[in-house]
Amino acid sequence: AKKNDLTMLAVVMGAPDYKVRFADAASLFQYGFSSCSIYIDRERDPLPETFGLFTESRIRQNWNMRKEFRYLTTGGTVIGEVEKTMELPEEVQAPIQKGECAGRIVYKADGEELGSVAILYGADVARVGMWDLFGCTMKQYFLGTA
């Protein structure tokens, strides 16, 4: 059975007939849905912009969350207001490989950490060389852009 993003499965064995099995399964579903709640974060919050060299900006634009965050409570506990915080490095230095962990998003409710989701780099970024910096400087000088 599915209700409000919560999917449950009931297994009843040893019942004398299908009517009892159905009634027992319905009771299990009613109990399960009344005592469980789920929090799902489907929002993909934008990552903060950064300043500095053009490659650093490219690195921050290529970050991805690994998966959506889900948290299930049981025993009738209701999840309160969930607070999200991003833990990101102050500086990022190339080279960077796609899929490396860049930081995490931490979820808390009532001051207690519920869990976290990793933020991964979405692209490879090579180390900046002297000619890359020279090209960036020329673009800024002649075109006014980086």
Side-chain angles (χ1 to χ4, degrees), residues 36-59:
C36 296
S37 65
I38 191 165
Y39 170 79
I40 301 174
D41 181 22
R42 291 190 176 97
E43 295 180 22
R44 301 291 183 184
D45 295 335
L47 295 164
E49 287 298 318
T50 186
F51 49 88
L53 295 176
F54 67 100
T55 53
E56 189 175 338
S57 297
R58 269 199 342 235
I59 291 170

mmCIF file of all heavy atoms in Angstrom, residues 36-59:
data_model
loop_
_atom_site.group_PDB
_atom_site.id
_atom_site.type_symbol
_atom_site.label_atom_id
_atom_site.label_comp_id
_atom_site.label_asym_id
_atom_site.label_seq_id
_atom_site.Cartn_x
_atom_site.Cartn_y
_atom_site.Cartn_z
ATOM 1 N N CYS A 36 4.129 5.681 11.394
ATOM 2 C CA CYS A 36 5.329 6.030 10.642
ATOM 3 C C CYS A 36 5.117 7.327 9.867
ATOM 4 O O CYS A 36 4.014 7.616 9.411
ATOM 5 C CB CYS A 36 5.684 4.931 9.641
ATOM 6 S SG CYS A 36 6.111 3.373 10.394
ATOM 7 N N SER A 37 6.189 8.090 9.740
ATOM 8 C CA SER A 37 6.166 9.257 8.863
ATOM 9 C C SER A 37 7.512 9.343 8.167
ATOM 10 O O SER A 37 8.519 8.866 8.685
ATOM 11 C CB SER A 37 5.859 10.542 9.639
ATOM 12 O OG SER A 37 6.895 10.828 10.542
ATOM 13 N N ILE A 38 7.509 9.961 6.995
ATOM 14 C CA ILE A 38 8.727 10.026 6.202
ATOM 15 C C ILE A 38 8.991 11.464 5.780
ATOM 16 O O ILE A 38 8.057 12.222 5.512
ATOM 17 C CB ILE A 38 8.636 9.096 4.972
ATOM 18 C CG1 ILE A 38 10.003 8.960 4.292
ATOM 19 C CG2 ILE A 38 7.573 9.545 4.006
ATOM 20 C CD1 ILE A 38 10.095 7.820 3.326
ATOM 21 N N TYR A 39 10.265 11.829 5.780
ATOM 22 C CA TYR A 39 10.698 13.129 5.273
ATOM 23 C C TYR A 39 11.539 12.861 4.033
ATOM 24 O O TYR A 39 12.481 12.061 4.071
ATOM 25 C CB TYR A 39 11.525 13.876 6.319
ATOM 26 C CG TYR A 39 12.201 15.112 5.775
ATOM 27 C CD1 TYR A 39 11.477 16.286 5.612
ATOM 28 C CD2 TYR A 39 13.534 15.092 5.388
ATOM 29 C CE1 TYR A 39 12.089 17.423 5.090
ATOM 30 C CE2 TYR A 39 14.146 16.219 4.869
ATOM 31 C CZ TYR A 39 13.412 17.378 4.724
ATOM 32 O OH TYR A 39 14.007 18.496 4.197
ATOM 33 N N ILE A 40 11.193 13.513 2.932
ATOM 34 C CA ILE A 40 11.951 13.387 1.688
ATOM 35 C C ILE A 40 12.326 14.786 1.223
ATOM 36 O O ILE A 40 11.461 15.653 1.096
ATOM 37 C CB ILE A 40 11.128 12.682 0.591
ATOM 38 C CG1 ILE A 40 10.708 11.287 1.054
ATOM 39 C CG2 ILE A 40 11.935 12.591 -0.698
ATOM 40 C CD1 ILE A 40 9.767 10.580 0.099
ATOM 41 N N ASP A 41 13.612 15.000 0.983
ATOM 42 C CA ASP A 41 14.069 16.287 0.458
ATOM 43 C C ASP A 41 14.303 16.126 -1.034
ATOM 44 O O ASP A 41 15.278 15.529 -1.454
ATOM 45 C CB ASP A 41 15.358 16.729 1.149
ATOM 46 C CG ASP A 41 15.847 18.072 0.642
ATOM 47 O OD1 ASP A 41 15.024 18.837 0.089
ATOM 48 O OD2 ASP A 41 17.043 18.361 0.786
ATOM 49 N N ARG A 42 13.400 16.660 -1.816
ATOM 50 C CA ARG A 42 13.517 16.586 -3.271
ATOM 51 C C ARG A 42 14.106 17.863 -3.869
ATOM 52 O O ARG A 42 14.372 17.923 -5.049
ATOM 53 C CB ARG A 42 12.151 16.329 -3.881
ATOM 54 C CG ARG A 42 11.626 14.958 -3.593
ATOM 55 C CD ARG A 42 10.380 14.666 -4.418
ATOM 56 N NE ARG A 42 9.938 13.318 -4.200
ATOM 57 C CZ ARG A 42 8.989 12.970 -3.353
ATOM 58 N NH1 ARG A 42 8.378 13.880 -2.632
ATOM 59 N NH2 ARG A 42 8.642 11.706 -3.214
ATOM 60 N N GLU A 43 14.265 18.889 -3.042
ATOM 61 C CA GLU A 43 14.784 20.166 -3.533
ATOM 62 C C GLU A 43 16.272 20.070 -3.797
ATOM 63 O O GLU A 43 17.015 19.522 -2.995
ATOM 64 C CB GLU A 43 14.529 21.277 -2.508
ATOM 65 C CG GLU A 43 13.073 21.581 -2.291
ATOM 66 C CD GLU A 43 12.865 22.677 -1.269
ATOM 67 O OE1 GLU A 43 13.812 23.473 -1.053
ATOM 68 O OE2 GLU A 43 11.786 22.739 -0.700
ATOM 69 N N ARG A 44 16.688 20.598 -4.905
ATOM 70 C CA ARG A 44 18.106 20.660 -5.245
ATOM 71 C C ARG A 44 18.544 22.103 -5.055
ATOM 72 O O ARG A 44 18.490 22.904 -5.973
ATOM 73 C CB ARG A 44 18.352 20.222 -6.690
ATOM 74 C CG ARG A 44 17.893 18.838 -6.987
ATOM 75 C CD ARG A 44 18.743 17.835 -6.273
ATOM 76 N NE ARG A 44 18.298 16.498 -6.650
ATOM 77 C CZ ARG A 44 18.790 15.409 -6.146
ATOM 78 N NH1 ARG A 44 19.735 15.478 -5.255
ATOM 79 N NH2 ARG A 44 18.348 14.248 -6.499
ATOM 80 N N ASP A 45 18.915 22.428 -3.830
ATOM 81 C CA ASP A 45 19.333 23.793 -3.523
ATOM 82 C C ASP A 45 20.571 24.146 -4.334
ATOM 83 O O ASP A 45 21.481 23.332 -4.475
ATOM 84 C CB ASP A 45 19.657 23.936 -2.038
ATOM 85 C CG ASP A 45 18.435 23.726 -1.171
ATOM 86 O OD1 ASP A 45 17.328 23.951 -1.677
ATOM 87 O OD2 ASP A 45 18.589 23.330 -0.010
ATOM 88 N N PRO A 46 20.607 25.364 -4.874
ATOM 89 C CA PRO A 46 21.808 25.765 -5.619
ATOM 90 C C PRO A 46 22.990 25.888 -4.676
ATOM 91 O O PRO A 46 22.851 26.310 -3.532
ATOM 92 C CB PRO A 46 21.426 27.122 -6.216
ATOM 93 C CG PRO A 46 20.341 27.626 -5.335
ATOM 94 C CD PRO A 46 19.614 26.417 -4.801
ATOM 95 N N LEU A 47 24.132 25.473 -5.175
ATOM 96 C CA LEU A 47 25.345 25.601 -4.382
ATOM 97 C C LEU A 47 25.840 27.032 -4.459
ATOM 98 O O LEU A 47 25.637 27.710 -5.463
ATOM 99 C CB LEU A 47 26.399 24.636 -4.903
ATOM 100 C CG LEU A 47 26.002 23.180 -4.711
ATOM 101 C CD1 LEU A 47 26.864 22.281 -5.568
ATOM 102 C CD2 LEU A 47 26.112 22.785 -3.259
ATOM 103 N N PRO A 48 26.468 27.525 -3.414
ATOM 104 C CA PRO A 48 26.897 28.926 -3.408
ATOM 105 C C PRO A 48 27.956 29.190 -4.476
ATOM 106 O O PRO A 48 28.777 28.336 -4.788
ATOM 107 C CB PRO A 48 27.481 29.113 -2.011
ATOM 108 C CG PRO A 48 27.783 27.756 -1.523
ATOM 109 C CD PRO A 48 26.834 26.826 -2.190
ATOM 110 N N GLU A 49 27.898 30.386 -5.029
ATOM 111 C CA GLU A 49 28.906 30.805 -6.010
ATOM 112 C C GLU A 49 30.196 31.122 -5.272
ATOM 113 O O GLU A 49 30.207 31.402 -4.085
ATOM 114 C CB GLU A 49 28.423 32.043 -6.766
ATOM 115 C CG GLU A 49 27.324 31.747 -7.761
ATOM 116 C CD GLU A 49 27.748 30.799 -8.857
ATOM 117 O OE1 GLU A 49 28.877 30.930 -9.380
ATOM 118 O OE2 GLU A 49 26.962 29.906 -9.186
ATOM 119 N N THR A 50 31.269 31.096 -5.987
ATOM 120 C CA THR A 50 32.558 31.371 -5.380
ATOM 121 C C THR A 50 33.276 32.428 -6.202
ATOM 122 O O THR A 50 32.836 32.787 -7.283
ATOM 123 C CB THR A 50 33.388 30.071 -5.289
ATOM 124 O OG1 THR A 50 34.577 30.358 -4.576
ATOM 125 C CG2 THR A 50 33.738 29.544 -6.658
ATOM 126 N N PHE A 51 34.359 32.906 -5.687
ATOM 127 C CA PHE A 51 35.136 33.903 -6.403
ATOM 128 C C PHE A 51 36.554 33.375 -6.554
ATOM 129 O O PHE A 51 36.936 32.395 -5.928
ATOM 130 C CB PHE A 51 35.136 35.231 -5.645
ATOM 131 C CG PHE A 51 35.467 35.078 -4.198
ATOM 132 C CD1 PHE A 51 36.774 35.101 -3.769
ATOM 133 C CD2 PHE A 51 34.456 34.901 -3.264
ATOM 134 C CE1 PHE A 51 37.080 34.946 -2.437
ATOM 135 C CE2 PHE A 51 34.757 34.739 -1.922
ATOM 136 C CZ PHE A 51 36.075 34.768 -1.500
ATOM 137 N N GLY A 52 37.311 34.001 -7.392
ATOM 138 C CA GLY A 52 38.681 33.551 -7.609
ATOM 139 C C GLY A 52 38.909 33.235 -9.071
ATOM 140 O O GLY A 52 38.264 33.798 -9.950
ATOM 141 N N LEU A 53 39.806 32.318 -9.332
ATOM 142 C CA LEU A 53 40.149 31.971 -10.709
ATOM 143 C C LEU A 53 38.975 31.290 -11.399
ATOM 144 O O LEU A 53 38.123 30.689 -10.767
ATOM 145 C CB LEU A 53 41.369 31.047 -10.732
ATOM 146 C CG LEU A 53 42.658 31.677 -10.212
ATOM 147 C CD1 LEU A 53 43.764 30.639 -10.196
ATOM 148 C CD2 LEU A 53 43.058 32.849 -11.080
ATOM 149 N N PHE A 54 38.986 31.350 -12.733
ATOM 150 C CA PHE A 54 37.863 30.820 -13.501
ATOM 151 C C PHE A 54 37.672 29.323 -13.283
ATOM 152 O O PHE A 54 36.567 28.835 -13.323
ATOM 153 C CB PHE A 54 38.036 31.127 -14.991
ATOM 154 C CG PHE A 54 39.194 30.418 -15.644
ATOM 155 C CD1 PHE A 54 38.981 29.281 -16.396
ATOM 156 C CD2 PHE A 54 40.492 30.898 -15.531
ATOM 157 C CE1 PHE A 54 40.037 28.638 -17.009
ATOM 158 C CE2 PHE A 54 41.538 30.258 -16.138
ATOM 159 C CZ PHE A 54 41.320 29.123 -16.882
ATOM 160 N N THR A 55 38.734 28.577 -13.018
ATOM 161 C CA THR A 55 38.569 27.136 -12.808
ATOM 162 C C THR A 55 37.852 26.848 -11.498
ATOM 163 O O THR A 55 37.097 25.897 -11.405
ATOM 164 C CB THR A 55 39.931 26.423 -12.796
ATOM 165 O OG1 THR A 55 40.765 27.062 -11.855
ATOM 166 C CG2 THR A 55 40.564 26.438 -14.155
ATOM 167 N N GLU A 56 38.049 27.669 -10.478
ATOM 168 C CA GLU A 56 37.369 27.457 -9.206
ATOM 169 C C GLU A 56 35.868 27.610 -9.390
ATOM 170 O O GLU A 56 35.080 26.845 -8.851
ATOM 171 C CB GLU A 56 37.896 28.432 -8.161
ATOM 172 C CG GLU A 56 37.414 28.142 -6.767
ATOM 173 C CD GLU A 56 38.048 29.060 -5.747
ATOM 174 O OE1 GLU A 56 39.119 29.623 -6.001
ATOM 175 O OE2 GLU A 56 37.440 29.213 -4.694
ATOM 176 N N SER A 57 35.452 28.599 -10.188
ATOM 177 C CA SER A 57 34.031 28.772 -10.466
ATOM 178 C C SER A 57 33.480 27.564 -11.213
ATOM 179 O O SER A 57 32.382 27.113 -10.945
ATOM 180 C CB SER A 57 33.796 30.037 -11.295
ATOM 181 O OG SER A 57 34.184 31.172 -10.570
ATOM 182 N N ARG A 58 34.248 27.047 -12.179
ATOM 183 C CA ARG A 58 33.805 25.871 -12.922
ATOM 184 C C ARG A 58 33.654 24.670 -12.004
ATOM 185 O O ARG A 58 32.746 23.871 -12.173
ATOM 186 C CB ARG A 58 34.819 25.533 -14.027
ATOM 187 C CG ARG A 58 34.507 26.180 -15.325
ATOM 188 C CD ARG A 58 35.178 25.526 -16.510
ATOM 189 N NE ARG A 58 36.294 24.678 -16.221
ATOM 190 C CZ ARG A 58 37.507 24.804 -16.745
ATOM 191 N NH1 ARG A 58 37.769 25.787 -17.568
ATOM 192 N NH2 ARG A 58 38.468 23.957 -16.456
ATOM 193 N N ILE A 59 34.532 24.537 -11.029
ATOM 194 C CA ILE A 59 34.444 23.409 -10.105
ATOM 195 C C ILE A 59 33.138 23.469 -9.330
ATOM 196 O O ILE A 59 32.403 22.500 -9.240
ATOM 197 C CB ILE A 59 35.639 23.412 -9.125
ATOM 198 C CG1 ILE A 59 36.928 23.090 -9.881
ATOM 199 C CG2 ILE A 59 35.418 22.400 -8.006
ATOM 200 C CD1 ILE A 59 38.176 23.305 -9.049
#
